[in-house]
Amino acid sequence: MPGKGFIPAAPPAPAEPRTVAPRPMATAFMLLVGVVLPCWGDFRLFKKRFMKVNGAECSHHSECASDCCLMDLDRAGAFCAPRARMAMLCLFQTKGAINIICPCQSGLSCITRDPFCSRRCHLI
């Protein structure tokens, strides 16, 4: 029972709309995507700029701008070489570090059209 000097409690204040805090991981991901994707092509050009030119010594085909590190039996080493052009001898790119014969240029396939001849680069 209310006694003397009792002050009734005020009714509760109306609930404020609840705001959702931004999710830090989603925000970081979106920032990363916004920065990395537009620069991806620039990264490939940046990487290509530091690749070795034809004639430079190499130890793996991934070091060369042409993607062909050719074995040099005369100098007992290897050097970057251009990829094989139309009708030139070719071999498929191997998982190994050094090529015996370079693979074909882009757009050409290394095939044999005659069972007695070695593989050459052709348009398919």
Side-chain angles (χ1 to χ4, degrees):
M1 292 214 187
K4 227 175 176 182
F6 176 75
I7 302 173
E16 293 181 24
R18 193 170 171 199
T19 58
V20 178
R23 295 189 172 118
M25 289 299 288
T27 305
F29 177 74
M30 293 307 289
L31 285 172
L32 183 66
V33 167
V35 171
V36 170
L37 285 182
C39 299
W40 188 253
D42 294 339
F43 173 73
R44 288 187 7 218
L45 292 174
F46 174 79
K47 182 180 173 191
K48 201 74 160 174
R49 196 177 318 154
F50 292 101
M51 303 293 267
K52 294 181 179 181
V53 296
N54 291 340
E57 288 188 13
C58 58
S59 58
H60 195 275
H61 63 83
S62 64
E63 298 173 10
C64 303
S66 65
D67 200 32
C68 181
C69 184
L70 193 62
M71 186 183 304
D72 184 4
L73 298 174
D74 293 335
R75 296 188 295 182
F79 64 95
C80 293
R83 286 178 160 251
R85 295 185 303 274
M86 181 72 120
M88 291 179 69
L89 289 174
C90 61
L91 284 177
F92 295 107
Q93 184 66 276
T94 62
K95 290 182 181 178
I98 299 174
N99 298 93
I100 299 168
I101 300 173
C102 284
C104 298
Q105 290 178 342
S106 181
L108 300 176
S109 295
C110 189
I111 59 172
T112 181
R113 291 194 173 165
D114 183 349
F116 299 107
C117 293
S118 57
R119 296 174 185 265
R120 295 187 181 271
C121 295
H122 296 283
L123 285 171
I124 290 187

